Amino acid sequence: FHMNIMAAGIVNAMDAGKYLQLARPVGSSHESLPYRAVFIRDHQEIQQPGPTYIFTSWNRTNEQTKDMKKCKTLAKFMSMEVSIDRTTTGGPTILRSMRWINGLCFFHGDERVPFVFPWPESL
């Protein structure tokens, strides 16, 4: 259901003349991985120099089999454009949220990466 809604959003964006941007996991061990996501972008977002980082979080429903859990379908899914705080060393990566972004991702048992979203200064 979620994937169908996101696919319809991509079709609508294409009909409206928006741009699509391909994406893949980041990190030294992921550089050779194929693209696994497509995100809807505006013209001014595509024109910005440098890489774009998008944090995507997902959760699957689980089905218990005899000896292991088997992931079935996506239960929750969200993506947002982030900036990466490069001043920290060691520990989890610090991400700062910038804006929500719509798209479609395909996950196949990807590894989890530790991260932190700090509290906004206004709080």
Side-chain angles (χ1 to χ4, degrees):
F1 177 73
H2 296 285
M3 299 292 267
N4 289 341
I5 290 172
M6 289 182 276
I10 288 175
V11 170
N12 292 339
M14 290 171 41
D15 289 343
K18 296 210 175 203
Y19 292 84
L20 300 180
Q21 183 176 27
L22 297 176
R24 65 175 171 226
V26 298
S28 59
S29 63
H30 294 108
E31 290 178 9
S32 62
L33 289 177
Y35 291 105
R36 294 207 192 153
V38 59
F39 293 104
I40 301 166
R41 307 297 296 213
D42 289 323
H43 179 72
Q44 66 270 17
E45 294 169 338
I46 293 287
Q47 299 302 317
Q48 294 176 1
T52 299
Y53 296 100
I54 298 173
F55 169 82
T56 301
S57 178
W58 71 94
N59 188 17
R60 294 183 183 270
T61 57
N62 291 320
E63 176 184 282
Q64 186 71 40
T65 61
K66 288 182 182 180
D67 296 327
M68 64 180 157
K69 280 189 176 180
K70 183 171 107 180
C71 290
K72 288 176 63 174
T73 60
L74 285 177
K76 300 173 189 169
F77 183 100
M78 63 73 63
S79 294
M80 71 172 89
E81 186 173 349
V82 296
S83 63
I84 299 176
D85 188 341
R86 302 262 184 218
T87 61
T88 60
T89 57
T93 302
I94 296 176
L95 304 177
R96 302 195 185 277
S97 59
M98 297 171 61
R99 65 178 80 48
W100 295 106
I101 188 165
N102 292 317
L104 185 59
C105 299
F106 302 94
F107 304 106
H108 302 286
D110 292 311
E111 66 186 75
R112 294 183 205 186
V113 178
F115 63 89
V116 172
F117 281 98
W119 285 97
E121 290 180 17
S122 61
L123 296 176

